[in-house]
Amino acid sequence: MHQCSTYCFTLSHAPTDYSFFDIGSEKAYLKSTSLHFSKTSISRVLARKKSIKISCYFAGDYLKSLPADEIKSIKKYVSNGQIELLAGTYHHSFTCLLSKKLFQEEIENHLQLINELFEIRPKGFYNTISIFSDDLVPMLIKHKFLYSYAPALEWYMRGIDQISVNSIDPKLKLLILSPSIDSKTMARQFPGESEESIQLKSIQAQDLFKKGKEKHTYALPNVTGRDASNRDLNFYLGNSLQKQVFKTLNSISPRIEKHKNKILKQHFLQLSTPHIFSLLHEDKASKLQHYSIIMSMLSDLELKSE
Amino acid sequence: MQVLMISPGMQHPQNSGVGAAAGNIANYLAEICQLKVIQSGEVSSIHSTKQRIFLEEAFSVETTIQDIVKTISNPIQVYNTTSLVEDSIVISEVQNQLASFTREVISEVSNHDFDVIYAHDWISFRAGIELKKKLNKPLVLHVHSLDVDRISTTHHSWVYEEELKGFETADAIIAVSNYTANRLVRHYRIKPEKIHVIHNGIDLPKTHQSKKNRFKSPLVVFAGRLAEQKGGSTFIQIAEEILKSMPNTRFVLAGEGELKADLIELVTQKQIGHRVHFAGHLPQSQLWELFSEADVFCLPSKSEPFGLATLEAAAMGLPVVISKQSGVAEVLPEAITPDNQDVASFYSAILELIKENNKAKSIGTKNKEAAALLTWSTAADKVAKTLKSVI
């Protein structure tokens, strides 16, 4: 049985000890780290097994953080067809929930970077934690994407042997992902997983798209999303601390949209990542500390975007 | 005069008021009498860090012993007298710590000579009583806060009993305000002639980093332990009301405490978290910085024996809106003092100060002048006089 494996490569952001007294200063918000592509087990398996094929979303800021030889290595697999590149947002963030204008900019910036580095225009779209709703369809069709991920559909269609369905507009197909081990169709993988767990009979999202049956048109009026660890939007945005941070980001977003300062925009987008929101889901002491730090950063952003 | 002072220890988030007061008084007392200090501290660092720190001070600590202040990290647990098994275990643990602390004090001071015992707040009262009985020396107790300030239950806890024993045994009691003196009479039935009121003091920093308001919007500051006594949740209610008419106003809570998580939850539930900052426990220099940036200081305490943070804010020229249940109001002629429950009066007073800059300045200046008269040196002179009076 073939399995479609999708890998997501992003930066990890750890907050600095930013305090109330740092608001208005130039102190950095985050320390960003990344797991280099060459250090991952999937990179070693790709080198060893030429038959294995995977789909990858590389966030723009992740690609920018890599040295030239890493890009060269990815480029090799893109050229020989082992890696299918997926488009997404430049930063691995919740932009689509915050601002349509920023979301569009993020898609365009990511497409531009992919084109600059790999001279390719991806056909598939991979949103942060595979967020999808009908609202996104016009934007994705506008950018000529043929398919996008909608993992929440798997729950509704459990037991039905289908790998893709039409969205509300038949021009965009939805790919159903299942993070469960016994999935017959697709799974999202972790770049850091062990070599043994890598599915050697792997195919790509574009193959699924071609094979997919299109009997149904499926509407997703509500925003849904689920990450590779089966954590849904509620995990990231469900508690009162997360809601307050999200609400504050939302209130700042109109100003960020209009602002010409690219650094400010970058900070906003980095603070909108699932990783930041997951910090507010930790044990009580830790999440309260992170909350105070993140809210100080948002006050700084608010101040600087005036 | 040789004085043995049993101190609650270094300033710490759990004892910031009493820790600061006892430390400052000791500094000046050491200049006018022979002072030996025994205090709570970290046992492991007696011979290193602590000694080195204190050598730079005017007084030297005779010894540091078991760190009882940090052991009692959650004051609520100390006072909880419900019959739950877990609480009983906590209470008996704290009582064991107190017994052990008392034994160590007595053992440490047996070889020293002194004329009078001078003890601060309930943690050191039992040791003071035991020493008085054992050595027949006069005992003076300095009251920075009372059990009846810290808890609002109708029944008396074992800490109250500890305090009562101390007050009955002491030769003199120093209260930090008339407010506290009245509570000693009312709640402990202590004779007024035994009580000496000595207000706390303040030493303004020679230099401090002054900060302009970064937000271009009003800034209202609360400084105190995040505990029920200090009225943190009332402050949040006041903030919510003010934000309805002045949505850009910012609020800062400086301090730590057992209610921090609840207060953060409260502001997020009220959806005002983007305007309410939790700055944590601040070192003195940052507190001065915060006061210099703020427009109004607000502390709606349920019961505040004195309120050092209020005095410090006033000394920086900040207009202060504090509850009428605050001792510091006695020394600040222009303090605005609604009842601690009266959110509407707090709200309107703060709003008026924000809108009427001249009024705020005038109030701030008058309070600043009054605060300048209160120094730790003067407070220490009065303490020395009281100590002499019982020898």
Side-chain angles (χ1 to χ4, degrees):
Chain A
M1 179 60 66
H2 285 87
Q3 178 180 285
C4 176
S5 299
T6 303
Y7 288 81
C8 178
F9 291 85
T10 61
L11 289 179
S12 287
H13 302 294
T16 59
D17 59 347
Y18 202 92
S19 79
F20 171 78
F21 291 93
D22 295 316
I23 297 171
S25 76
E26 294 307 313
K27 183 165 175 171
Y29 295 167
L30 306 164
K31 286 177 203 155
S32 302
T33 53
S34 63
L35 175 66
H36 280 191
F37 176 72
S38 62
K39 306 278 184 206
T40 61
S41 47
I42 186 63
S43 161
R44 290 190 291 277
V45 172
L46 284 171
R48 216 169 50 237
K49 297 263 182 192
K50 298 297 175 196
S51 60
I52 191 168
K53 288 183 163 188
I54 59 167
S55 300
C56 290
Y57 159 72
F58 294 98
D61 53 356
Y62 172 83
L63 287 171
K64 276 288 186 189
S65 75
L66 295 180
D69 58 332
E70 290 278 331
I71 298 291
K72 205 175 158 186
S73 164
I74 298 170
K75 204 169 180 178
K76 189 180 78 182
Y77 296 118
V78 172
S79 302
N80 72 10
Q82 282 187 274
I83 288 182
E84 177 203 4
L85 286 178
L86 298 168
T89 46
Y90 187 93
H91 298 86
H92 184 241
S93 68
F94 287 131
T95 332
C96 70
L97 304 176
L98 293 163
S99 153
K100 278 193 175 169
K101 189 172 181 284
L102 288 175
F103 184 51
Q104 176 160 331
E105 275 179 28
E106 280 284 283
I107 295 173
E108 285 164 4
N109 290 341
H110 192 247
L111 284 172
Q112 193 184 336
L113 182 69
I114 296 287
N115 188 45
E116 279 169 20
L117 296 175
F118 306 106
E119 293 162 359
I120 264 179
R121 186 181 176 88
K123 292 174 191 145
F125 184 77
Y126 184 93
N127 202 4
T128 304
I129 73 158
S130 297
I131 290 174
F132 188 83
S133 74
D134 292 343
D135 273 357
L136 302 182
V137 175
M139 179 88 76
L140 299 183
I141 287 177
K142 185 182 161 192
H143 286 91
K144 297 184 176 131
F145 295 123
L146 299 176
Y147 46 95
S148 180
Y149 290 73
L153 270 175
E154 191 265 346
W155 187 84
Y156 293 104
M157 305 190 83
R158 191 176 289 275
I160 300 172
D161 185 21
Q162 281 190 295
I163 51 175
S164 70
V165 292
N166 289 330
S167 68
I168 48 161
D169 187 329
K171 287 198 281 292
L172 184 82
K173 200 183 276 189
L174 302 177
L175 301 182
I176 306 164
L177 286 146
S178 171
S180 56
I181 297 163
D182 60 350
S183 165
K184 294 174 183 173
T185 54
M186 302 180 73
R188 280 163 298 172
Q189 309 290 330
F190 300 98
E193 69 194 344
S194 69
E195 287 188 32
E196 292 73 32
S197 64
I198 291 172
Q199 179 61 252
L200 296 178
K201 287 184 179 178
S202 177
I203 58 169
Q204 294 172 335
Q206 57 189 350
D207 301 322
L208 272 184
F209 164 68
K210 284 171 196 163
K211 287 180 186 175
K213 297 166 190 173
E214 297 172 13
K215 286 179 188 167
H216 305 286
T217 294
Y218 212 96
L220 277 175
N222 297 324
V223 178
T224 59
R226 203 165 62 186
D227 69 8
S229 304
N230 219 6
R231 294 180 299 202
D232 64 6
L233 276 171
N234 200 45
F235 174 88
Y236 293 104
L237 304 173
N239 71 33
S240 60
L241 303 183
Q242 293 166 324
K243 281 178 183 163
Q244 181 66 67
V245 168
F246 184 80
K247 186 176 182 278
T248 309
L249 281 164
N250 208 25
S251 70
I252 302 170
S253 64
R255 289 196 226 165
I256 299 289
E257 282 175 3
K258 291 175 198 155
H259 221 280
K260 287 175 184 165
N261 186 333
K262 284 184 179 173
I263 302 290
L264 216 59
K265 249 178 208 175
Q266 184 192 328
H267 288 163
F268 175 86
L269 293 162
Q270 285 174 340
L271 289 174
S272 316
T273 58
H275 184 73
I276 293 296
F277 281 91
S278 70
L279 297 173
L280 304 171
H281 201 278
E282 294 175 348
D283 65 87
K284 203 165 190 177
S286 175
K287 74 181 176 188
L288 291 175
Q289 191 188 355
H290 282 128
Y291 170 81
S292 295
I293 289 173
I294 293 165
M295 289 306 286
S296 289
M297 292 171 183
L298 292 177
S299 287
D300 182 67
L301 260 186
E302 188 184 354
L303 199 65
K304 286 174 179 164
S305 62
E306 272 171 2
Chain B
M1 174 173 63
Q2 295 185 76
V3 178
L4 173 77
M5 174 166 143
I6 309 170
S7 164
M10 296 275 286
Q11 192 174 351
H12 177 271
Q14 296 296 348
N15 77 343
S16 52
V18 60
N24 280 303
I25 288 167
N27 268 331
Y28 286 100
L29 213 50
E31 291 175 8
I32 48 180
C33 63
Q34 283 183 275
L35 180 71
K36 285 171 185 162
V37 178
I38 181 162
Q39 72 175 30
S40 164
E42 288 169 29
V43 177
S44 59
S45 58
I46 290 172
H47 300 296
S48 53
T49 330
K50 293 286 180 195
Q51 286 288 26
R52 189 167 55 76
I53 290 169
F54 281 100
L55 283 174
E56 291 170 9
E57 306 280 353
F59 67 96
S60 68
V61 174
E62 198 64 33
T63 185
T64 52
I65 56 174
Q66 182 188 147
D67 192 354
I68 194 163
V69 177
K70 285 186 187 170
T71 304
I72 306 168
S73 58
N74 184 351
I76 288 293
Q77 291 178 320
V78 178
Y79 311 117
N80 199 330
T81 51
T82 61
S83 57
L84 291 173
V85 175
E86 294 82 2
D87 291 334
S88 304
I89 292 167
V90 171
I91 290 164
S92 83
E93 174 62 19
V94 175
Q95 285 173 335
N96 288 341
Q97 294 283 351
L98 183 62
S100 150
F101 174 80
T102 303
R103 275 196 304 276
E104 284 185 54
V105 173
I106 292 164
S107 154
E108 284 293 332
V109 300
S110 296
N111 301 326
H112 295 288
D113 194 24
F114 50 85
D115 304 311
V116 58
I117 309 156
Y118 173 41
H120 296 259
D121 273 2
W122 69 273
I123 289 174
S124 56
F125 284 0
R126 195 188 289 185
I129 295 167
E130 297 288 322
L131 280 172
K132 177 181 166 67
K133 279 183 191 163
K134 188 178 172 189
L135 304 170
N136 198 25
K137 303 282 185 185
L139 171 67
V140 175
L141 302 180
H142 198 141
V143 182
H144 302 269
S145 79
L146 292 165
D147 193 50
V148 292
D149 298 316
R150 294 181 293 261
I151 57 164
S152 46
T153 53
T154 49
H155 61 276
H156 292 145
S157 75
W158 66 272
V159 175
Y160 172 91
E161 299 299 334
E162 287 285 327
E163 290 176 335
L164 185 60
K165 260 183 244 166
F167 299 144
E168 284 171 349
T169 313
D171 297 278
I173 301 165
I174 297 170
V176 288
S177 60
N178 291 313
Y179 173 79
T180 295
N182 291 337
R183 286 172 81 78
L184 280 165
V185 174
R186 186 177 161 198
H187 294 280
Y188 297 81
R189 306 206 176 280
I190 303 300
K191 287 179 183 165
E193 51 271 28
K194 201 173 179 178
I195 305 167
H196 304 246
V197 173
I198 301 176
H199 291 113
N200 283 330
I202 186 172
D203 285 339
L204 273 173
K206 288 182 185 107
T207 56
H208 69 87
Q209 202 179 348
S210 190
K211 206 160 186 165
K212 276 188 181 173
N213 187 327
R214 294 162 284 173
F215 303 103
K216 297 167 198 159
S217 56
L219 189 65
V220 181
V221 169
F222 167 107
R225 210 171 63 249
L226 301 183
E228 195 189 350
Q229 182 194 352
K230 300 288 180 178
S233 58
T234 308
F235 182 75
I236 305 292
Q237 283 179 52
I238 296 163
E240 187 185 20
E241 288 304 312
I242 291 172
L243 284 168
K244 283 177 190 165
S245 48
M246 295 192 82
N248 285 329
T249 311
R250 285 186 186 259
F251 301 84
V252 182
L253 291 98
E256 289 288 344
E258 64 273 12
L259 288 189
K260 185 176 183 178
D262 293 342
L263 293 175
I264 289 180
E265 283 285 340
L266 189 62
V267 299
T268 57
Q269 277 161 16
K270 289 180 182 291
Q271 303 199 354
I272 56 171
H274 61 304
R275 289 287 175 266
V276 182
H277 301 267
F278 289 85
H281 180 71
L282 300 178
Q284 196 64 49
S285 59
Q286 279 192 326
L287 204 55
W288 295 126
E289 204 181 311
L290 180 63
F291 290 157
S292 74
E293 191 181 18
D295 297 287
V296 179
F297 178 89
C298 172
L299 193 67
S301 297
K302 289 192 174 174
S303 182
E304 191 68 72
F306 188 76
L308 265 179
T310 306
L311 185 62
E312 289 166 352
M316 295 290 287
L318 262 188
V320 297
V321 186
I322 55 177
S323 68
K324 72 176 183 189
Q325 295 82 359
S326 302
V328 71
E330 296 161 20
V331 294
L332 297 175
E334 296 293 321
I336 301 168
T337 55
D339 185 86
N340 67 49
Q341 306 275 344
D342 188 357
V343 172
S345 293
F346 268 98
Y347 153 77
S348 53
I350 293 170
L351 215 57
E352 193 180 351
L353 289 169
I354 289 171
K355 286 178 178 169
E356 293 183 33
N357 198 25
N358 286 341
K359 185 177 180 184
K361 270 189 182 166
S362 160
I363 285 175
T365 306
K366 284 175 190 163
N367 279 338
K368 188 177 179 178
E369 286 165 3
L373 302 174
L374 294 162
T375 64
W376 285 117
S377 161
T378 313
D381 282 342
K382 289 177 183 171
V383 168
K385 217 171 175 181
T386 307
L387 294 173
K388 261 185 202 158
S389 73
V390 296
I391 297 173

PDB file of all heavy atoms in Angstrom, chain B residues 202 288 291 297 308-320:
ATOM      1  N   ILE B 202      11.005  56.592  54.090  1.00  0.00           N
ATOM      2  CA  ILE B 202      11.409  56.349  52.701  1.00  0.00           C
ATOM      3  C   ILE B 202      12.753  57.037  52.460  1.00  0.00           C
ATOM      4  O   ILE B 202      12.989  58.123  52.988  1.00  0.00           O
ATOM      5  CB  ILE B 202      10.334  56.884  51.721  1.00  0.00           C
ATOM      6  CG1 ILE B 202      10.681  56.494  50.290  1.00  0.00           C
ATOM      7  CG2 ILE B 202      10.132  58.364  51.845  1.00  0.00           C
ATOM      8  CD1 ILE B 202       9.581  56.821  49.305  1.00  0.00           C
ATOM      9  N   TRP B 288      10.951  52.429  40.801  1.00  0.00           N
ATOM     10  CA  TRP B 288      11.078  53.893  40.659  1.00  0.00           C
ATOM     11  C   TRP B 288      10.835  54.292  39.207  1.00  0.00           C
ATOM     12  O   TRP B 288      10.176  55.278  38.906  1.00  0.00           O
ATOM     13  CB  TRP B 288      12.478  54.381  41.063  1.00  0.00           C
ATOM     14  CG  TRP B 288      12.855  54.196  42.501  1.00  0.00           C
ATOM     15  CD1 TRP B 288      13.973  53.558  42.978  1.00  0.00           C
ATOM     16  CD2 TRP B 288      12.169  54.679  43.664  1.00  0.00           C
ATOM     17  NE1 TRP B 288      14.009  53.600  44.351  1.00  0.00           N
ATOM     18  CE2 TRP B 288      12.917  54.286  44.805  1.00  0.00           C
ATOM     19  CE3 TRP B 288      10.994  55.398  43.861  1.00  0.00           C
ATOM     20  CZ2 TRP B 288      12.534  54.580  46.102  1.00  0.00           C
ATOM     21  CZ3 TRP B 288      10.601  55.693  45.167  1.00  0.00           C
ATOM     22  CH2 TRP B 288      11.367  55.279  46.254  1.00  0.00           C
ATOM     23  N   PHE B 291       7.149  54.147  38.431  1.00  0.00           N
ATOM     24  CA  PHE B 291       6.425  55.278  39.032  1.00  0.00           C
ATOM     25  C   PHE B 291       6.686  56.560  38.245  1.00  0.00           C
ATOM     26  O   PHE B 291       5.810  57.416  38.100  1.00  0.00           O
ATOM     27  CB  PHE B 291       6.829  55.469  40.495  1.00  0.00           C
ATOM     28  CG  PHE B 291       6.337  54.371  41.421  1.00  0.00           C
ATOM     29  CD1 PHE B 291       6.975  54.121  42.637  1.00  0.00           C
ATOM     30  CD2 PHE B 291       5.245  53.597  41.084  1.00  0.00           C
ATOM     31  CE1 PHE B 291       6.535  53.112  43.493  1.00  0.00           C
ATOM     32  CE2 PHE B 291       4.795  52.583  41.931  1.00  0.00           C
ATOM     33  CZ  PHE B 291       5.442  52.349  43.127  1.00  0.00           C
ATOM     34  N   PHE B 297      -1.258  56.235  40.753  1.00  0.00           N
ATOM     35  CA  PHE B 297      -1.017  55.011  41.515  1.00  0.00           C
ATOM     36  C   PHE B 297      -2.336  54.611  42.180  1.00  0.00           C
ATOM     37  O   PHE B 297      -3.036  55.462  42.741  1.00  0.00           O
ATOM     38  CB  PHE B 297       0.052  55.260  42.591  1.00  0.00           C
ATOM     39  CG  PHE B 297       0.326  54.048  43.452  1.00  0.00           C
ATOM     40  CD1 PHE B 297       1.288  53.117  43.070  1.00  0.00           C
ATOM     41  CD2 PHE B 297      -0.376  53.844  44.639  1.00  0.00           C
ATOM     42  CE1 PHE B 297       1.537  51.998  43.850  1.00  0.00           C
ATOM     43  CE2 PHE B 297      -0.127  52.724  45.421  1.00  0.00           C
ATOM     44  CZ  PHE B 297       0.833  51.795  45.028  1.00  0.00           C
ATOM     45  N   LEU B 308       3.898  50.763  51.937  1.00  0.00           N
ATOM     46  CA  LEU B 308       5.164  51.388  51.548  1.00  0.00           C
ATOM     47  C   LEU B 308       5.185  51.783  50.070  1.00  0.00           C
ATOM     48  O   LEU B 308       5.711  52.839  49.716  1.00  0.00           O
ATOM     49  CB  LEU B 308       6.321  50.401  51.800  1.00  0.00           C
ATOM     50  CG  LEU B 308       7.065  50.529  53.115  1.00  0.00           C
ATOM     51  CD1 LEU B 308       8.153  49.481  53.221  1.00  0.00           C
ATOM     52  CD2 LEU B 308       7.655  51.927  53.276  1.00  0.00           C
ATOM     53  N   ALA B 309       4.613  50.921  49.231  1.00  0.00           N
ATOM     54  CA  ALA B 309       4.631  51.204  47.791  1.00  0.00           C
ATOM     55  C   ALA B 309       3.891  52.506  47.497  1.00  0.00           C
ATOM     56  O   ALA B 309       4.304  53.288  46.639  1.00  0.00           O
ATOM     57  CB  ALA B 309       4.004  50.048  47.019  1.00  0.00           C
ATOM     58  N   THR B 310       2.815  52.747  48.246  1.00  0.00           N
ATOM     59  CA  THR B 310       2.053  53.989  48.057  1.00  0.00           C
ATOM     60  C   THR B 310       2.912  55.193  48.417  1.00  0.00           C
ATOM     61  O   THR B 310       2.938  56.204  47.706  1.00  0.00           O
ATOM     62  CB  THR B 310       0.781  53.975  48.937  1.00  0.00           C
ATOM     63  OG1 THR B 310       0.041  52.793  48.652  1.00  0.00           O
ATOM     64  CG2 THR B 310      -0.075  55.199  48.708  1.00  0.00           C
ATOM     65  N   LEU B 311       3.645  55.059  49.535  1.00  0.00           N
ATOM     66  CA  LEU B 311       4.511  56.166  49.973  1.00  0.00           C
ATOM     67  C   LEU B 311       5.594  56.428  48.923  1.00  0.00           C
ATOM     68  O   LEU B 311       5.910  57.588  48.619  1.00  0.00           O
ATOM     69  CB  LEU B 311       5.157  55.815  51.323  1.00  0.00           C
ATOM     70  CG  LEU B 311       5.998  56.914  51.971  1.00  0.00           C
ATOM     71  CD1 LEU B 311       5.149  58.139  52.293  1.00  0.00           C
ATOM     72  CD2 LEU B 311       6.680  56.415  53.242  1.00  0.00           C
ATOM     73  N   GLU B 312       6.132  55.366  48.371  1.00  0.00           N
ATOM     74  CA  GLU B 312       7.174  55.513  47.346  1.00  0.00           C
ATOM     75  C   GLU B 312       6.608  56.185  46.091  1.00  0.00           C
ATOM     76  O   GLU B 312       7.256  57.048  45.499  1.00  0.00           O
ATOM     77  CB  GLU B 312       7.756  54.135  47.000  1.00  0.00           C
ATOM     78  CG  GLU B 312       8.618  53.578  48.122  1.00  0.00           C
ATOM     79  CD  GLU B 312       8.942  52.096  47.972  1.00  0.00           C
ATOM     80  OE1 GLU B 312       8.385  51.431  47.089  1.00  0.00           O
ATOM     81  OE2 GLU B 312       9.757  51.602  48.777  1.00  0.00           O
ATOM     82  N   ALA B 313       5.403  55.782  45.704  1.00  0.00           N
ATOM     83  CA  ALA B 313       4.767  56.397  44.530  1.00  0.00           C
ATOM     84  C   ALA B 313       4.509  57.882  44.789  1.00  0.00           C
ATOM     85  O   ALA B 313       4.768  58.729  43.927  1.00  0.00           O
ATOM     86  CB  ALA B 313       3.466  55.673  44.210  1.00  0.00           C
ATOM     87  N   ALA B 314       4.017  58.183  45.999  1.00  0.00           N
ATOM     88  CA  ALA B 314       3.736  59.582  46.354  1.00  0.00           C
ATOM     89  C   ALA B 314       5.029  60.394  46.369  1.00  0.00           C
ATOM     90  O   ALA B 314       5.056  61.556  45.939  1.00  0.00           O
ATOM     91  CB  ALA B 314       3.048  59.636  47.712  1.00  0.00           C
ATOM     92  N   ALA B 315       6.094  59.794  46.855  1.00  0.00           N
ATOM     93  CA  ALA B 315       7.381  60.493  46.916  1.00  0.00           C
ATOM     94  C   ALA B 315       7.898  60.829  45.517  1.00  0.00           C
ATOM     95  O   ALA B 315       8.734  61.715  45.352  1.00  0.00           O
ATOM     96  CB  ALA B 315       8.404  59.636  47.659  1.00  0.00           C
ATOM     97  N   MET B 316       7.419  60.108  44.518  1.00  0.00           N
ATOM     98  CA  MET B 316       7.803  60.389  43.129  1.00  0.00           C
ATOM     99  C   MET B 316       6.858  61.416  42.499  1.00  0.00           C
ATOM    100  O   MET B 316       6.944  61.706  41.312  1.00  0.00           O
ATOM    101  CB  MET B 316       7.751  59.096  42.298  1.00  0.00           C
ATOM    102  CG  MET B 316       8.743  58.050  42.724  1.00  0.00           C
ATOM    103  SD  MET B 316      10.437  58.494  42.332  1.00  0.00           S
ATOM    104  CE  MET B 316      10.423  58.254  40.590  1.00  0.00           C
ATOM    105  N   GLY B 317       5.912  61.918  43.291  1.00  0.00           N
ATOM    106  CA  GLY B 317       4.988  62.934  42.794  1.00  0.00           C
ATOM    107  C   GLY B 317       3.756  62.375  42.108  1.00  0.00           C
ATOM    108  O   GLY B 317       3.015  63.106  41.461  1.00  0.00           O
ATOM    109  N   LEU B 318       3.524  61.078  42.258  1.00  0.00           N
ATOM    110  CA  LEU B 318       2.336  60.473  41.638  1.00  0.00           C
ATOM    111  C   LEU B 318       1.100  60.721  42.500  1.00  0.00           C
ATOM    112  O   LEU B 318       1.156  60.528  43.715  1.00  0.00           O
ATOM    113  CB  LEU B 318       2.512  58.955  41.556  1.00  0.00           C
ATOM    114  CG  LEU B 318       2.983  58.311  40.267  1.00  0.00           C
ATOM    115  CD1 LEU B 318       2.896  56.800  40.384  1.00  0.00           C
ATOM    116  CD2 LEU B 318       2.143  58.779  39.105  1.00  0.00           C
ATOM    117  N   PRO B 319      -0.013  61.120  41.899  1.00  0.00           N
ATOM    118  CA  PRO B 319      -1.251  61.167  42.694  1.00  0.00           C
ATOM    119  C   PRO B 319      -1.661  59.733  43.060  1.00  0.00           C
ATOM    120  O   PRO B 319      -1.519  58.830  42.229  1.00  0.00           O
ATOM    121  CB  PRO B 319      -2.256  61.806  41.744  1.00  0.00           C
ATOM    122  CG  PRO B 319      -1.708  61.623  40.370  1.00  0.00           C
ATOM    123  CD  PRO B 319      -0.214  61.519  40.496  1.00  0.00           C
ATOM    124  N   VAL B 320      -2.110  59.543  44.293  1.00  0.00           N
ATOM    125  CA  VAL B 320      -2.435  58.190  44.726  1.00  0.00           C
ATOM    126  C   VAL B 320      -3.917  58.067  45.069  1.00  0.00           C
ATOM    127  O   VAL B 320      -4.478  58.927  45.735  1.00  0.00           O
ATOM    128  CB  VAL B 320      -1.558  57.727  45.934  1.00  0.00           C
ATOM    129  CG1 VAL B 320      -0.099  57.676  45.539  1.00  0.00           C
ATOM    130  CG2 VAL B 320      -1.767  58.611  47.149  1.00  0.00           C
TER     131      VAL B 320
END
